[in-house]
Amino acid sequence: MVHIKRLQEEGADIIVIIGEIDASSSIELDLAIAKSVGDGYRKILVDCNGLEYISSAGLGVFMSYIEELKDKKVYLVLFGLKERVLNTFSILGLADLLNIRETKSDAKKLADELSV
Amino acid sequence: MSYQYNIGCSLNNLKGVREFIRNSLKGQGVSELEMGAIVLALDEMCSNLMIHAHHCNPDHKISMNIHIPGHQQFVFEIIDDGSMFDINQYQEQELDSLVHEKRKGGLGIRLVKSIMDKVEYLREDGKNICRLTKTI
């Protein structure tokens, strides 16, 4: 079960994930990112403070957007990942391909720098 | 010590699978990070089986057994009667090419192989047994 909401702050779209993302719920993350990109946001911050678990289905959603976001010059930054969740990203080296920061302010700063 | 859990092949049951594993391994000296990785690998195996061998039919059942033969030694068995798919025979694509092709899949098997020490397949009494072993 996952609960995903979007809110806007200073020109950035913030996707807040609460709960667990597995094969049954990864579609909701996919839809949220698709909507954010579709709405034309160039800075997307993903708040993972409430993300308790992510399986390969969720990792795959982030992976599938890497090229598209690069092409569209959209900057997506994840923040607030718990250690065990970050470890899941790290096992396959996906953490190196995504923008990940500890705090919201660091994530915002990185998105601002990248989008200049 | 051993534990058993029977599951209908609905992806909504994966949460229950994860809870079963966490509860069974509690008090066995498994760190939070190791626990997370083991739970992840077994979730991947079960979801693959549910989707590809059982087409998410909740009337199809799979079983999971957990044996703890020694200190921090774990044997996980996933038993079903669907078509067998041996992940050892599967050649994973490189991460770069998955990214390039904008793929969403292709990571699960890679995770399982990275996390578990060994993955074996057996056939007993008309059933497939996938045995995964992990020593911490």
Side-chain angles (χ1 to χ4, degrees):
Chain A
M1 243 320 248
V2 70
H3 182 64
I4 296 182
K5 59 181 178 184
R6 286 174 58 207
L7 44 105
Q8 289 72 44
E9 230 176 77
E10 297 167 27
D13 197 32
I14 302 179
I15 297 174
V16 184
I17 310 174
I18 297 162
E20 302 189 318
I21 295 183
D22 62 12
S24 72
S25 56
S26 63
I27 182 72
E28 296 188 44
L29 173 65
D30 203 350
L31 286 174
I33 298 176
K35 278 185 191 157
S36 185
V37 175
D39 288 347
Y41 285 96
R42 288 193 57 217
K43 292 183 276 186
I44 302 172
L45 309 181
V46 184
D47 182 345
C48 299
N49 280 295
L51 177 59
E52 301 295 334
Y53 174 81
I54 189 162
S55 76
S56 74
L59 297 181
V61 170
F62 286 115
M63 180 175 73
S64 70
Y65 279 99
I66 291 175
E67 291 280 308
E68 181 184 343
L69 299 188
K70 204 187 283 173
D71 291 346
K72 291 185 171 163
K73 295 194 166 43
V74 173
Y75 303 96
L76 182 142
V77 187
L78 294 94
F79 68 92
L81 286 85
K82 291 181 169 54
E83 194 188 4
R84 61 174 186 272
V85 173
L86 180 60
N87 187 51
T88 304
F89 282 87
S90 302
I91 293 171
L92 300 181
L94 207 55
D96 299 333
L97 302 178
L98 297 166
N99 299 310
I100 299 176
R101 288 293 179 271
E102 272 185 38
T103 64
K104 186 179 183 176
S105 60
D106 286 347
K108 209 175 251 181
K109 202 172 142 206
L110 178 64
D112 286 342
E113 286 166 6
L114 293 170
S115 61
V116 168
Chain B
M1 217 164 341
S2 60
Y3 304 89
Q4 189 182 34
Y5 191 68
N6 298 315
I7 324 135
C9 288
S10 160
L11 296 178
N12 292 325
N13 293 334
L14 289 171
K15 189 178 173 59
V17 174
R18 298 195 292 270
E19 276 167 14
F20 163 70
I21 302 160
R22 286 193 195 105
N23 288 335
S24 305
L25 268 52
K26 208 178 278 177
Q28 297 291 333
V30 182
S31 73
E32 197 193 352
L33 277 189
E34 287 158 342
M35 177 80 88
I38 291 171
V39 168
L40 176 66
L42 296 170
D43 176 321
E44 300 295 344
M45 292 302 290
C46 289
S47 57
N48 271 348
L49 210 53
M50 286 177 179
I51 295 167
H52 300 295
H54 297 278
H55 311 291
C56 298
N57 183 340
D59 297 331
H60 289 199
K61 305 285 182 209
I62 60 179
S63 303
M64 181 180 290
N65 294 328
I66 301 181
H67 308 288
I68 307 175
H71 181 61
Q72 296 191 326
Q73 290 181 331
F74 304 98
V75 179
F76 306 95
E77 288 182 341
I78 302 170
I79 302 160
D80 84 312
D81 56 7
S83 54
M84 193 190 271
F85 175 72
D86 184 345
I87 67 167
N88 298 306
Q89 307 296 323
Y90 178 80
Q91 184 61 47
E92 306 93 274
Q93 255 181 281
E94 289 301 316
L95 195 57
D96 287 354
S97 72
L98 292 174
V99 169
H100 186 66
E101 291 171 17
K102 302 178 185 174
R103 290 270 306 274
K104 292 188 211 297
L107 296 174
I109 291 175
R110 188 183 284 263
L111 279 171
V112 175
K113 288 183 180 174
S114 310
I115 293 164
M116 291 292 172
D117 297 332
K118 196 158 73 170
V119 183
E120 299 164 282
Y121 291 84
L122 316 157
R123 207 166 152 79
E124 255 172 41
D125 302 330
K127 302 223 179 250
N128 307 316
I129 303 174
C130 173
R131 182 178 292 157
L132 305 103
T133 47
K134 175 80 180 171
T135 300
I136 291 170

